[in-house]
């Protein structure tokens, strides 16, 4: 899924052109969360604030361990974490609506292929951490999410890396988010249904997800 050019100096995900979705696709709706302690509620199921904070902590600890910068509270990291958590559930719903799924075998094959391409599992983990903002514990979830987006486009005979495929994915995710009646705690921003994105948030401190070259 990760492509490289010029001796592996550039990286992009298998879904390329839809990277903007991965970077900012927290599917939300008007109003606050339905239950106390929730960062978001989807289909009546909570994503707790504690879950978001744990994801942020794991990512920050791994980045700090790489010596990539001082340990600070960087604006946008929490929003990014919530966006990824919500997106994973929305992608799963969109796949389910189309009777599609991503198997463990598909995830393993994609992950192994990238590890081989980059020179090993440790190199893959470093690449995902520093270029994609993915901690070690979230690697399989990342691949499931990416493969799911790719499969949503393929279901309509499109390539997710193209403008047409991107439009198909956006439409599917918007519909799934609506079905799930996603509600996000206002502290994290507001939902723009047209852009399929979380808005009114601070810029992210992590490197932007790479787009196709």
């Amino acid at each position: 899924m990760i492509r490289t050019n010029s001796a592996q100096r550039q990286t992009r995900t298998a879904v390329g052109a839809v990277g903007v979705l991965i970077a900012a696709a927290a599917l939300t709706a008007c109003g606050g969360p339905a239950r106390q302690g929730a960062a978001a509620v989807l289909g009546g199921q909570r994503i707790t604030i504690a879950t978001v904070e744990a994801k942020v902590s794991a990512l920050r600890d791994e980045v700090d361990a790489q010596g990539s910068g001082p340990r600070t509270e960087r604006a946008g990291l929490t929003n990014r974490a919530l966006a990824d958590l919500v997106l994973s559930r929305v992608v799963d719903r969109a796949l389910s609506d189309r009777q599609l799924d991503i198997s463990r075998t598909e995830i393993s094959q994609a992950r192994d292929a990238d590890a081989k391409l980059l020179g090993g599992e440790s190199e893959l983990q470093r690449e995902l951490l520093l270029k994609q903002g993915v901690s070690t514990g979230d690697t399989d979830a990342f691949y499931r999410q990416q493969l799911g987006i790719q499969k949503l486009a393929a279901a309509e005979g499109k390539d997710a890396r193209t403008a047409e495929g991107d439009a198909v994915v956006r439409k599917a995710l918007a519909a799934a988010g609506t079905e799930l009646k996603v509600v996000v705690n206002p502290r994290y921003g507001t939902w723009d249904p047209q852009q399929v994105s979380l808005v009114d948030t601070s810029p992210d401190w992590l490197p932007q997800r790479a787009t196709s070259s």
Side-chain angles (χ1 to χ4, degrees):
M1 289 176 62
I2 294 179
R3 309 298 185 198
T4 59
N5 294 305
S6 302
Q8 301 181 347
R9 288 195 296 267
Q10 295 182 337
T11 301
R12 65 182 173 89
T13 66
V15 294
V18 295
V20 65
L21 286 178
I22 309 305
L27 306 181
T28 63
C30 297
R35 303 177 189 176
Q36 185 176 9
V41 178
L42 303 83
Q45 300 298 312
R46 294 193 305 163
I47 294 176
T48 67
I49 293 173
T51 297
V52 175
E53 291 177 345
K55 182 179 176 70
V56 169
S57 180
L59 180 56
R60 186 185 294 113
D61 286 348
E62 289 194 34
V63 170
D64 289 345
Q66 292 287 339
S68 300
R71 184 183 179 89
T72 59
E73 293 295 331
R74 297 174 174 99
L77 179 56
T78 299
N79 298 78
R80 173 71 164 269
L82 177 59
D84 282 344
L85 289 166
V86 175
L87 178 61
S88 291
R89 296 195 186 185
V90 173
V91 169
D92 284 348
R93 177 56 180 262
L95 289 169
S96 178
D97 287 345
R98 291 157 181 77
Q99 298 184 327
L100 300 171
D101 193 15
I102 305 300
S103 70
R104 289 184 178 276
T105 297
E106 288 175 296
I107 293 171
S108 179
Q109 289 176 341
R111 181 171 176 168
D112 290 347
D114 282 353
K116 182 177 180 180
L117 179 66
L118 293 171
E121 181 69 18
S122 62
E123 290 301 318
L124 171 63
Q125 294 297 340
R126 178 177 173 81
E127 190 79 3
L128 290 175
L129 177 66
L130 300 181
K131 297 294 181 64
Q132 307 293 336
V134 177
S135 66
T136 301
D138 287 338
T139 300
D140 283 352
F142 170 80
Y143 277 98
R144 178 177 178 81
Q145 187 185 96
Q146 301 297 290
L147 288 167
I149 289 173
Q150 187 179 36
K151 191 169 285 191
L152 288 173
E156 299 293 331
K158 306 296 182 182
D159 185 333
R161 294 167 295 185
T162 67
E164 292 82 3
D166 181 72
V168 166
V169 171
R170 287 175 180 273
K171 182 178 179 179
L173 296 181
T178 299
E179 291 169 3
L180 286 171
K181 296 181 173 60
V182 182
V183 178
V184 168
N185 189 315
R187 68 189 283 189
Y188 301 110
T190 58
W191 166 236
D192 183 337
Q194 298 302 315
Q195 296 185 34
V196 194
S197 64
L198 192 65
V199 297
D200 296 332
T201 61
S202 300
D204 205 313
W205 68 274
L206 288 168
Q208 294 296 310
R209 297 185 187 274
T211 56
S212 58
S213 56

